[in-house]
Amino acid sequence: MTDLAKKRIVLGVSGGIAAYKAAELARLMMKRGIEVQVVMTESATRFVSPLTFQALTGRPVFSDLWDNRLDNGMAHIDFTRDASAVVVAPASADFLAKLAHGNADDLLSTLCLARACPLMVAPAMNRQMWEHPATRRNVSQLKRDGVGIFGPGSGEQACGEEGMGRMLEPEELLFDIEGFFQPKRLSGRKVLVTAGPTFEVIDAVRGITNLSSGKMGYAVARAALEAGAEVTLISGPSCLKPPASAKLIKVTSAQEMLGAVQEAVSEMDIFIGVAAVADYYVLNPSEHKIKKDAHILTLELAPNPDILANVVNLPKPPFCVGFAAESESLFEFAEMKRHRKNLPLLAGNLVQDAINNDISELTLFDDEGAHPLPRGPKIQLARQLIAHMAKLYDLSTNPKNP
Ligand code: PMT
C-alpha cells in the first residue's frame, strides 16, 4: 500500500470559481502529512488570494515565471524535480487545452511540461465548455498521455446551470490522488467483481433480500481499477456511486447475476465474488400484490445457483476469489468454505461487523494459512486484498517466479 504522508505534491490552481475548493484540498493534503507547494495561474489569484494558500501550507505561493525569489530563477524546474506528482485543481478548459497542446506560457503550464513526475487534473468548468468537442479532444489526448483525470462531477454549477463540470469535492479528490499512487499490479488484466445483495421477487412489491450495501464489492472494484485492471462490476441493487471507470452491469436476482457473469466471464483473468447472493428464490412469485388475509401464507423456496461454483467449474476458469460472511467461528468456517469451493483465496469477515459498515475486518485464507488484515476502511482492506491476490495470481500464471 502507498502512504500519502511524506509525499511532495505541487498543487496547481488555475482560474475558475472552484479555486476556493482547492484551499480545502490543500488543507486536507497537509493534514495527511503531504508537503504541498502551491503554484497558481494569474487568473486563479483573482479568485483566491495566494495568501490563503500560503497560510494553509506554510510555504510561499508562486505564480510568475519570472519570480526572482528562487536563487536560480528556475521555479518551473526546481518545483517538480523532487515532486511525487503535480495535481492541477481546478483545471479550467483553457488550462486543459494548454496541457493537451504542450503550451508553456506561464509558470504552471511550464512546470507541467518540464515535470518528470505524474500529472493529475481535476477539471472544472461550465457544462457547455466540458461538452464542447474541443474539450473532449483535449481530455482524450491527456488520457492518452497518461494524465490522471479526476471528475468532473455533475450537479448545480456556479453559473446556475445543471450538468457535468463541477470540480470533485476535496475529499473525493484526495481519495482519487491516493488511488493514482497505488502500484499497478494488475496492469493489462481483466477483473470481474460481483457486489451487493440480490433481490428475489415474492410479488409485485415484495421480495427477499439482505443487508449487503455493496460497499465491500465496490471497494474491491475500485482497488482493482487503481491497480491498473480493466474492471467489470456486476452489482445487485445498491445506492452507491460506482467507480467511474468500471463497466457497471446492474442486476436484480441471483439468476440475473449468474446470466451476467456467464456472459462476461470468458474473457476475464480474475473473478472476485463479493456479492451476498440470496440462497433461495421464490418458486411461484405473484404478478400482483398478494392480499393480506387471516391465513398463514406459505412461500415455496428453491435453491439459487451458486455463481462462484459455476465459475470455478468452468473448463478454463479465471483465477477465483471468494468471500465468506460468517456469524461465528470465522477461521474454521471460512477455511472449510475455501476447501469446499476449491478456491486459492478467500476473504472472510464476520457478517455482523462487515455488512453495511464502512469500516470492518477481513482475514485472507490461502494455502499458506490465515492472514488477518488490520481493521480499517473497506477501501484499505480492498487494496490489501488486491495486493495479496496479485501475488498469488502471478504465481498461478508463472509458477517459476518465487
Ligand atoms: O456489501 P457490504 O454491506 O459492504 O457487505 C459486505 C459483505 C459482508 C456482503 C461481504 O464482505 C461478504 O462477505 N460477501 C459474501 C457474502 C456471502 O454471501 O457469503 P457466502 O458464504 O454465502 O458465500 C460464499 C461465496 O460464494 C461468496 O463469494 C458469494 O459471493 C458466493 N456465492 C454464494 C451463494 C451463491 N448462490 N452464489 C455465489 O456466488
Side-chain angles (χ1 to χ4, degrees), residues 308-329:
L308 181 57
N310 226 279
V311 176
V312 171
N313 292 320
L314 286 171
K316 276 190 178 171
F319 185 88
C320 288
V321 181
F323 265 68
E326 307 293 345
S327 56
E328 66 213 302
S329 308

Side-chain angles (χ1 to χ4, degrees), residues 211-216 273-279 304-308 322-326 337 341 349 354-356 378:
L211 292 176
S212 168
S213 59
K215 287 175 186 169
M216 191 71 226
V274 194
V277 185
D279 288 323
N304 262 326
D306 190 313
I307 299 167
L308 181 57
F323 265 68
E326 307 293 345
K337 200 166 273 178
K341 295 212 172 197
N349 44 204
I355 208 151
N356 201 13
K378 284 185 172 169

